[in-house]
Amino acid sequence: MISWPGHITPGTTDETSVLSALDLLPSLAKIAGVKLPSSYRGDGKDRSTALLGKPSPRNMDMYWEYGRNDIAFKFPKGRDKSPNLAIRSGQWKLLMNSDGSNAQLYNIQKDQNESKDLAADNRKIVQGLKTKLDKWWTSLPKLK
């Protein structure tokens, strides 16, 4: 997805690094030699080394909301509606609704298609990730 002749070797693939769109601002600022204001408090992290072709694992959790809630983005409907919150922590990805229901756990290193829900066999992992995800979710500003 990234091309920069003379800086990044063409045709290379990185299956180790994990980035979020939130990482783009601090990463591109670093590459451009731009210092972010000291007041900047973004959630993204500088992942410039990965963008420049040096694979590196992510050493912190990633959280996101799909926006599929009762206020906005009420789609998809029916059986295709997935839980609206997610956390990725190392090899694990937990999905759940903001009320704590419908928890689904996947080992995304072994099952990239998320075809086998492992929640029932890994209750301790599920509970730990649910606690982290709920703490993150409750810290966010709420839509009205």
Side-chain angles (χ1 to χ4, degrees), residues 71-140:
I71 299 167
F73 307 109
K74 297 181 183 182
F75 61 86
K77 298 195 182 293
R79 68 175 182 81
D80 293 326
K81 184 173 182 176
S82 69
N84 66 310
L85 301 179
I87 179 174
R88 177 172 176 170
S89 184
Q91 67 189 16
W92 300 108
K93 179 179 177 182
L94 179 82
L95 303 170
M96 75 175 195
N97 288 316
S98 53
D99 65 4
S101 65
N102 196 16
Q104 301 170 21
L105 180 69
Y106 300 98
N107 183 323
I108 56 176
Q109 289 178 342
K110 294 179 181 176
D111 179 16
Q112 293 177 355
N113 294 324
E114 298 175 23
S115 60
K116 179 150 177 56
D117 181 359
L118 302 171
D121 296 330
N122 295 279
R123 294 190 189 282
K124 195 171 191 175
I125 293 169
V126 168
Q127 190 54 52
L129 293 176
K130 279 180 87 169
T131 299
K132 287 181 173 184
L133 188 52
D134 185 57
K135 182 178 178 182
W136 171 80
W137 169 246
T138 57
S139 75
L140 297 177

